[in-house]
Amino acid sequence: QVQLVESGGGSVQAGGSLTLSCAASGRTSSIYAIAWFRQSPGKEREIVAYTMWRGPTTYYADSVQGRFTISRNNIKNLSQLQMDALKPEDTAVYYCAAGNMGVFPSLYDYWGQGTQVTVSS
């Protein structure tokens, strides 16, 4: 089992920045990739970014490319999502997930509890 705990959400004005953190514990040796998803009311959960836990591969959704940066430190068992130039449409609950690699939520076995990000115009 892997446990994930997110932190760092909050409210910010458009153009601002936030950094989300995801602390992993448990059988972290079983993690192949870490991803960040988001979900806003009435919408499906969507991929934001993912990265290999022990490799260079990263992926960003088109909507965040160039504004968000995903990182991971598998010594500290930590992943971060640096979010810059935030827009009101980035408002959502953000989830950290661990498991296989890809854009579909079903590929990930472990999920954090989610953290709210609100961007005001």
Side-chain angles (χ1 to χ4, degrees):
Q1 290 279 11
V2 174
Q3 294 79 41
L4 303 172
V5 178
E6 300 106 334
S7 60
S11 297
V12 65
Q13 289 191 327
S17 298
L18 281 175
T19 301
L20 305 183
S21 296
C22 175
S25 60
R27 287 191 63 224
T28 57
S29 60
S30 67
I31 297 174
Y32 186 71
I34 282 280
W36 289 89
F37 286 81
R38 67 186 182 187
Q39 189 169 20
S40 51
K43 294 188 177 181
E44 293 187 354
R45 193 166 295 189
E46 63 175 2
I47 187 71
V48 175
Y50 64 69
T51 183
M52 286 182 68
W53 193 232
R54 294 178 182 80
T57 302
T58 59
Y59 166 90
Y60 296 94
D62 288 344
S63 57
V64 306
Q65 179 77 46
R67 300 188 298 122
F68 290 12
T69 303
I70 189 171
S71 64
R72 76 327 186 220
N73 183 324
N74 51 42
I75 302 300
K76 295 183 178 180
N77 289 329
L78 184 70
S79 174
Q80 292 190 312
L81 184 69
Q82 174 67 39
M83 305 185 295
D84 298 318
L86 282 161
K87 304 176 181 180
E89 51 263 43
D90 294 319
T91 296
V93 177
Y94 284 71
Y95 298 90
C96 174
N100 292 310
M101 192 167 65
V103 302
F104 301 108
S106 60
L107 292 169
Y108 298 87
D109 300 312
Y110 305 104
W111 292 83
Q113 80 284 1
T115 185
Q116 177 71 46
V117 171
T118 303
V119 184
S120 58
S121 57

